[in-house]
Amino acid sequence: AQKVTQAQTEISVVEKEDVTLDCVYETRDTTYYLFWYKQPPSGELVFLIRRNSFDEQNEISGRYSWNFQKSTSSFNFTITASQVVDSAVYFCALSEELTGANNLFFGTGTRLTVIP
Amino acid sequence: EAQVTQNPRYLITVTGKKLTVTCSQNMNHEYMSWYRQDPGLGLRQIYYSMNVEVTDKGDVPEGYKVSRKEKRNFPLILESPSPNQTSLYFCASSSSGTSGLTDTQYFGPGTRLTVL
């Protein structure tokens, strides 16, 4: 079963619009981390945020914000006032203490295109 | 500068010709791993290493080998590459965290491999 689901395969927005990328995860563990990574057209993977399962506080970093809700097993990512430089593939990922393998389970990614 | 490096960045080879993709990190990280990225599948873990001389299989280890003789290096070996190993490969490293979970994994720039 897919541990991390990113149902939105591709999203297009016009510059300055807000956009939310959805991430739903599945785990039986009580101790886990959730991550978001950005993959720009150049191909590298850029770490954006890590959240542990005991901290449900939302986080804001500039134009980026994250909404972690254990009740719905979701960790959504919102970009406010999007810019062309935000165009990238965004991956949500999960690591679990239960697996003991320190494996990152990735979603299939959401390709965001910001149109100028 | 703290970084994970991979070489080569691009490689085209033929079926059956042994190859090695090198990975090196300068952050004194205990944990290193290899992932492959394929369209529609996200990233999947191939092998990981908790420390020197300690390696284990990830989700898709078939056709790959690894070694961890030194802390900084974690080469990926394809003894007899096949076309289904055409993919984008990422090396990652992190420090070992608490409660069985590693710290955030930082990724190398990727190696695009084509097997003809």
Side-chain angles (χ1 to χ4, degrees):
Chain A
Q2 191 78 6
K3 286 183 179 284
V4 178
T5 301
Q6 295 180 256
Q8 305 150 309
T9 306
E10 295 191 29
I11 301 176
S12 292
V13 298
V14 176
E15 200 170 21
K16 297 183 184 174
E17 287 184 348
D18 299 347
V19 58
T20 295
L21 310 182
D22 298 333
C23 173
V24 174
Y25 63 92
E26 180 184 330
T27 181
R28 291 181 292 174
D29 209 342
T30 56
T31 303
Y32 54 90
Y33 281 124
L34 293 163
F35 302 79
W36 277 95
Y37 285 85
K38 173 182 180 181
Q39 187 175 43
S42 50
E44 72 271 24
L45 282 165
V46 179
F47 165 73
L48 295 178
I49 189 171
R50 179 183 70 170
R51 218 61 186 148
N52 76 53
S53 51
F54 301 110
D55 184 359
E56 280 192 80
Q57 277 192 345
N58 291 334
E59 181 151 342
I60 298 174
S61 176
R63 295 184 297 106
Y64 295 171
S65 62
W66 291 269
N67 182 5
F68 176 26
Q69 291 195 335
K70 289 175 79 170
S71 60
T72 55
S73 296
S74 65
F75 186 46
N76 296 337
F77 173 30
T78 297
I79 301 174
T80 303
S82 60
Q83 300 176 2
V84 173
V85 293
D86 296 326
S87 295
V89 180
Y90 291 87
F91 289 98
C92 181
L94 163 76
S95 68
E96 305 165 301
E97 183 181 46
L98 193 64
T99 59
N102 299 291
N103 188 1
L104 273 178
F105 296 98
F106 281 84
T108 52
T110 297
R111 181 179 298 278
L112 173 66
T113 302
V114 180
I115 303 164
Chain B
E1 181 191 351
Q3 59 183 353
V4 179
T5 57
Q6 296 178 225
N7 281 292
R9 295 288 314 279
Y10 303 90
L11 179 60
I12 301 174
T13 189
V14 295
T15 299
K17 187 176 181 182
K18 181 180 178 179
L19 67 92
T20 299
V21 183
T22 64
C23 173
S24 183
Q25 50 92 6
N26 62 1
M27 296 169 278
N28 201 36
H29 285 164
E30 294 84 10
Y31 180 83
M32 297 184 75
S33 63
W34 278 101
Y35 293 83
R36 61 178 287 173
Q37 181 181 1
D38 301 291
L41 296 176
L43 283 84
R44 295 174 293 167
Q45 191 181 57
I46 303 170
Y47 268 94
Y48 66 94
S49 169
M50 299 293 288
N51 214 323
V52 176
E53 301 292 1
V54 180
T55 64
D56 209 344
K57 297 176 181 178
D59 296 321
V60 287
E62 293 77 22
Y64 304 95
K65 285 175 58 177
V66 292
S67 69
R68 187 89 183 274
K69 293 183 170 54
E70 306 165 281
K71 198 172 188 179
R72 63 182 294 128
N73 296 324
F74 190 45
L76 179 69
I77 303 155
L78 285 72
E79 294 270 3
S80 182
S82 61
N84 65 12
Q85 292 178 297
T86 293
S87 188
L88 178 58
Y89 291 87
F90 287 98
C91 180
S93 75
S94 69
S95 58
S96 295
T98 58
S99 69
L101 291 168
T102 59
D103 205 343
T104 299
Q105 291 188 36
Y106 294 95
F107 287 79
T111 295
R112 187 166 293 281
L113 171 65
T114 302
V115 183
L116 302 174

